[in-house]
Amino acid sequence: MYKIVEVEPRRLVGFASVVPNPADKAVKELERAVSDLGLRGLKLHPGMQGFCLRSTHVWKVLRRAGELGIPVILHALWMDESSLYFKSPYKPWENPLEDYALLPYIAPETRLIYAHMGGLLHFKEVFNIATHRNVYLDTSYSIITIAREVGLERLAHYIKLLGAEKILFGSDLVPGLTPEDLGPKKQIELINRLPLSQEEKEKYYLKMPYS
């Protein structure tokens, strides 16, 4: 990843990824990624990486990320149509909503980004978790499936209640796997049609919690 960023350092921001168990090795690798490689965030995917969010190893890694001043993106999607493209071959634990709701208390100084806004089935609960000052949501995939379910007016209402600055644009494009109607272009078109002010739209086009 850091080699890709070196090609376009003014346009690209690289995130590291570590398996957060055991914590001592994960923290050491994360520190190296930040200090030596210049990466500016951490991405964790509990299902694909096979770890439980209630593990104290995970908590130590999250807290260290906060001390390093970097945000953490966490996959937060439960079984809607977009999850068809991210099935993990190894999933020893299920991480329920309660585990995600616990993390803002476990790592209060760490900026947490819950990817996919919780998906179609749990976006209301995840929006509620995002009322914590250190939790943000990204729009990838799920903004389209949620809008289809509740409509643009209702979705805009939820965004206004939470605050547009808590919503970050995320594309999450997988070449050859992402359906065209769930891709970044369609997401941008949908965002432009949301009944929000231009200022509100620009907040989650432009604001990132690592800046």
Side-chain angles (χ1 to χ4, degrees):
M1 172 59 71
Y2 77 95
K3 291 184 178 180
I4 298 175
V5 175
E6 285 180 343
V7 177
E8 286 287 352
R10 290 182 296 179
R11 296 179 60 193
L12 300 177
V13 175
F15 276 48
S17 186
V18 299
V19 177
N21 190 351
D24 56 347
K25 292 184 178 180
V27 165
K28 185 176 180 180
E29 181 61 19
L30 179 60
E31 291 171 343
R32 185 183 75 87
V34 173
S35 62
D36 297 346
L37 304 182
L39 299 179
R40 296 171 59 188
L42 174 64
K43 168 65 184 289
L44 296 176
H45 194 307
M48 292 185 69
Q49 292 176 305
F51 64 84
C52 176
L53 290 174
R54 286 185 179 266
S55 167
T56 56
H57 291 270
V58 177
W59 298 352
K60 289 177 181 178
V61 172
L62 293 178
R63 289 168 179 158
R64 184 58 182 140
E67 292 168 355
L68 292 169
I70 61 171
V72 179
I73 297 179
L74 282 155
H75 181 83
L77 179 63
W78 292 268
M79 293 307 291
D80 68 2
E81 61 186 277
S82 56
S83 67
L84 293 173
Y85 308 99
F86 285 95
K87 285 190 177 295
S88 170
Y90 175 63
K91 196 170 185 181
W93 294 287
E94 295 284 343
N95 287 285
L97 278 164
E98 291 79 7
D99 291 1
Y100 284 84
L102 181 64
L103 296 184
Y105 298 99
I106 295 297
E109 302 307 316
T110 303
R111 289 158 290 178
L112 304 170
I113 306 169
Y114 289 175
H116 316 296
M117 302 194 295
L120 180 59
L121 298 182
H122 296 297
F123 73 93
K124 292 181 182 179
E125 293 92 336
V126 172
F127 263 67
N128 186 55
I129 297 172
T131 58
H132 288 275
R133 64 176 180 82
N134 61 321
V135 179
Y136 299 78
L137 308 179
D138 97 358
T139 63
S140 53
Y141 282 138
S142 295
I143 191 170
I144 293 177
T145 59
I146 293 168
R148 289 172 180 168
E149 179 71 13
V150 304
L152 295 179
E153 292 281 348
R154 193 65 177 167
L155 177 55
H157 177 67
Y158 288 130
I159 291 172
K160 287 180 178 181
L161 287 177
L162 179 61
E165 70 279 0
K166 300 296 290 288
I167 309 290
L168 312 176
F169 177 75
S171 60
D172 208 2
L173 174 67
V174 181
L177 291 179
T178 302
E180 184 178 349
D181 65 342
L182 291 176
K185 183 178 180 180
K186 293 296 182 181
Q187 293 175 51
I188 293 171
E189 290 175 358
L190 185 150
I191 290 169
N192 285 332
R193 289 190 289 116
L194 283 172
L196 298 170
S197 69
Q198 189 60 32
E199 180 184 2
E200 288 170 318
K201 291 177 183 179
E202 288 177 355
K203 280 182 180 178
Y204 71 81
Y205 269 132
L206 302 177
K207 180 177 175 61
M208 286 296 288
Y210 55 73
S211 60

